[in-house]
């Protein structure tokens, strides 16, 4: 058997020495899952010792980092980067600082668009034509996804095809692919058998290969026997260098060294309810209990990180968790999505597909229901999750999910910073009001376009612990109020605008159980 792998094996330092000044580098990963930590840290070490490579273009879809030092935080050095095209920025605050200070050109594009764009680059297509991003700050009419004034408005434009307006995200060559897998066989084929997800490793590798670039792959082990062909995730013909990482650089996620439940089907006698703990009383429980009422039998669902994750706990508590299917934008279908630094993985998933394929499904309208958080909401119903003064968390998969789900619920407390509530005699009492207002006259940045949602006929609710609003063509309408809550005393004083008030009913009693 001809061995193609051994000539490709090298150290992380030798691998990243192949990166030249000015290269476009694409990196796979979702928070910490399938992120090649050994390679990204080696790039940082080389730059700190040699001041090389310089002026790189970094391209990535999902956020990769722990908001401290790992992941793409390794690359957050002035001089190392010239341009960044990324989906979510909040987990690599160093990159955000470079963008805010005008030290790099910086674009924030939807995570799903970037994931799919890798396939377009691989196929030699001119770019990605999609409706995703219309009406938001990513639309060239509203900024083109540019995160500072030094960034040229050149990577996305509006086009008209068959009488409809689309966004055209332009392709560009990828010189270096940074990917990760579990193992490499004697042919250099890669398997992700112990990874929590696949991400977009294959499209990134193909994009670099067909751009005349180099593919650097991090693995945990070398196999003596070939991987079964149906189990090869990245064929060896696409891989140029293979680095065997130390275990500390190859944790399954940034939250856990390894959890076999992320890679295994659910045992026959296992009950999903046991995976999801009950929620304690409080604002979060009220909000997600009300949002749960929007899920129907057989729905395909996406729940955002943070507060919306609690919807699954309520579903388990009420014996409904196996009556709909939870999905995660990273690729898992079914099971129970993990949270925190494990977000992106699912416990006992039914299936795992590539991230670009998952977004194909989402972008085409495959989600029946999605629930996400919202930091700012304005009188038109626009939502901002991506920019707050100097903070640039970015949108991640938010735009793909919120723009296309048939039914959408934004979940959050009515005010922020210090809110405390209590239930007394079946009524909600505001013990301490939050110091921050969430319902503003106009959002700082439009991450979600209410105008576009009205045009598509999307059903949209904005759910808080004391009130529920819905999106209408005239703006935000107050439709439900919690028992014990006064519109004049507890709602209107904490909004920068007056919502439409017509027929207001009491929130469902189920939300307060």
């Amino acid at each position: 058997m001809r061995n193609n792998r051994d000539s490709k094996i090298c150290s992380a330092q030798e691998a990243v020495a192949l990166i030249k000044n000015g290269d476009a580098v694409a990196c796979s990963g979702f928070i910490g899952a399938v992120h090649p930590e050994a390679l990204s840290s080696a790039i940082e070490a080389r730059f700190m010792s040699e001041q090389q490579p310089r002026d790189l273009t970094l391209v990535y879809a999902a956020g990769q980092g722990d908001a401290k030092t790992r992941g793409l935080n390794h690359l957050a050095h002035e001089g190392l980067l010239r341009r960044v095209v990324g989906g979510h920025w909040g987990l690599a605050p160093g990159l955000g600082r470079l963008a805010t200070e005008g030290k790099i050109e910086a674009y924030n594009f939807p995570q799903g668009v970037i994931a799919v764009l890798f396939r377009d680059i691989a196929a030699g297509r001119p770019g990605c034509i999609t409706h995703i991003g219309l009406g938001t700050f990513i639309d060239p009419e509203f900024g083109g996804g540019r995160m500072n004034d030094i960034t040229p408005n050149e990577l996305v434009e509006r086009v008209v095809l068959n009488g409809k307006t689309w966004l055209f995200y332009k392709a560009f060559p990828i010189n270096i692919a940074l990917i990760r897998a579990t193992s490499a066989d004697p042919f250099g084929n890669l398997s992700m058998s112990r990874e929590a997800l696949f991400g977009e490793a294959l499209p990134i590798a193909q994009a670099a290969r067909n751009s005349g670039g180099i593919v650097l792959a991090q693995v945990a082990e070398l196999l003596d026997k070939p991987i079964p062909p149906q189990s090869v995730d990245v064929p060896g013909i696409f891989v140029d260098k293979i680095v065997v990482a130390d275990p500390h650089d190859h944790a399954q996620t940034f939250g856990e060294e390894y959890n076999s439940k992320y890679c295994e089907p659910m045992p026959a006698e296992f009950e999903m309810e046991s995976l999801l703990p009950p929620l304690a009383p409080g604002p979060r429980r009220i909000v997600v209990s009300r949002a749960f009422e929007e899920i129907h039998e057989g729905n395909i669902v996406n729940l955002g990180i943070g507060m919306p994750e609690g919807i699954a706990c309520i579903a388990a508590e009420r014996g409904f968790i196996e009556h709909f299917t939870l999905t995660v934008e990273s690729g898992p279908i079914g099971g129970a999505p993990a949270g925190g630094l494990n977000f992106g993985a699912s416990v006992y998933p039914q299936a795992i597909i590539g991230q670009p394929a998952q977004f194909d499904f989402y972008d085409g309208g495959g989600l029946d229901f999605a629930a996400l958080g919202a930091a700012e909401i304005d009188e038109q119903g626009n939502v901002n999750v991506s920019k707050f003064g100097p903070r640039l968390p970015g949108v991640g998969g938010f735009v793909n999910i919120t723009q296309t789900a048939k039914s959408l619920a934004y979940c959050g407390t009515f005010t922020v910073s210090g809110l405390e509530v209590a239930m007394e005699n079946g009524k909600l009492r505001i013990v301490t009001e939050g110091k921050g207002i969430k319902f503003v006259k106009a959002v700082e940045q439009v991450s979600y376009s209410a105008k576009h949602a009205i045009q598509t006929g999307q059903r949209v609710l904005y759910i808080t612990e004391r009130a529920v609003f819905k999106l209408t063509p005239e703006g935000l309408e107050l439709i439900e109020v919690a028992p014990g809550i006064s519109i004049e005393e507890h709602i209107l004083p904490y909004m920068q605008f007056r919502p439409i008030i017509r027929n207001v009913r009491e929130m469902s009693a189920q939300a307060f159980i």
Side-chain angles (χ1 to χ4, degrees), residues 108-259:
N108 183 201
F109 288 164
Q111 178 179 327
V113 169
I114 298 174
V116 172
L117 183 62
F118 290 132
R119 294 194 312 205
D120 293 314
I121 295 170
R125 289 186 282 265
C128 176
I129 297 174
T130 177
H131 57 294
I132 300 300
L134 281 168
T136 72
F137 75 95
I138 300 154
D139 189 323
E141 289 200 354
F142 306 104
R146 298 159 58 247
M147 298 179 70
N148 57 35
D149 292 337
I150 71 166
T151 303
N153 192 7
E154 64 181 25
L155 290 187
V156 58
E157 65 181 54
R158 279 191 166 211
V159 296
V160 176
L161 296 173
N162 295 328
K164 289 184 62 176
T165 300
W166 305 82
L167 294 186
F168 171 47
Y169 297 83
K170 300 176 185 179
F172 46 85
I174 300 296
N175 307 115
I176 301 291
L178 305 178
I179 64 172
R180 163 179 149 170
T182 302
S183 55
D185 74 4
F187 293 110
N189 296 320
L190 307 182
S191 167
M192 295 185 170
S193 59
R194 289 169 60 87
E195 306 299 327
L197 49 96
F198 301 144
E200 59 287 293
L202 178 59
I204 287 176
Q206 291 177 318
R209 186 70 173 180
N210 284 353
S211 297
I214 297 171
V215 178
L216 310 179
Q218 170 183 321
V219 300
E221 61 181 349
L222 303 176
L223 302 177
D224 295 329
K225 296 181 179 180
I227 298 167
Q230 297 92 337
S231 300
V232 171
D233 296 303
V234 180
I237 60 170
F238 303 143
V239 179
D240 295 288
K241 296 295 179 182
I242 297 172
V243 172
V244 182
D246 291 334
H248 72 273
D249 284 331
H250 207 96
Q252 193 179 36
T253 70
F254 282 156
E256 291 183 273
E257 289 297 315
Y258 181 71
N259 186 337

Side-chain angles (χ1 to χ4, degrees), residues 2 20 63 66 96 101-102 135 168 190 315 318 325 350 422 462 510:
R2 187 160 57 94
K20 297 189 279 294
D66 59 358
E101 295 169 4
F168 171 47
L190 307 182
R318 299 185 184 176
T325 302
Q350 298 170 20
Y462 307 77
Q510 285 288 105

Side-chain angles (χ1 to χ4, degrees), residues 192-380:
M192 295 185 170
S193 59
R194 289 169 60 87
E195 306 299 327
L197 49 96
F198 301 144
E200 59 287 293
L202 178 59
I204 287 176
Q206 291 177 318
R209 186 70 173 180
N210 284 353
S211 297
I214 297 171
V215 178
L216 310 179
Q218 170 183 321
V219 300
E221 61 181 349
L222 303 176
L223 302 177
D224 295 329
K225 296 181 179 180
I227 298 167
Q230 297 92 337
S231 300
V232 171
D233 296 303
V234 180
I237 60 170
F238 303 143
V239 179
D240 295 288
K241 296 295 179 182
I242 297 172
V243 172
V244 182
D246 291 334
H248 72 273
D249 284 331
H250 207 96
Q252 193 179 36
T253 70
F254 282 156
E256 291 183 273
E257 289 297 315
Y258 181 71
N259 186 337
S260 63
K261 296 182 179 68
Y262 296 154
C263 307
E264 297 174 349
M266 186 184 300
E269 303 303 319
F270 191 84
E271 294 184 356
M272 276 273 286
E273 286 81 357
S274 65
L275 294 174
L276 299 160
L279 291 182
R284 184 189 188 198
R285 182 179 176 88
I286 296 169
V287 172
V288 299
S289 294
R290 174 60 185 85
F292 164 74
E293 296 175 18
E294 299 300 310
I295 300 177
H296 304 292
E297 183 90 25
N299 276 181
I300 298 173
V301 174
N302 176 282
L303 302 178
I305 193 170
M307 181 175 283
E309 296 175 77
I311 296 173
C313 299
I314 297 297
E317 184 180 308
R318 299 185 184 176
F320 197 75
I321 190 66
E322 296 192 45
H323 290 263
F324 63 97
T325 302
L326 289 167
T327 67
V328 187
E329 58 266 32
S330 53
I333 295 171
L341 290 177
N342 299 317
F343 185 66
S346 282
V347 177
Y348 294 138
Q350 298 170 20
I352 302 175
I353 62 177
Q355 183 170 238
Q358 190 78 298
F359 277 111
D360 285 341
F361 179 68
Y362 286 3
D363 291 354
L367 282 173
D368 297 301
F369 174 78
L372 292 96
E376 287 184 331
I377 302 162
D378 69 19
E379 63 181 332
Q380 299 303 315

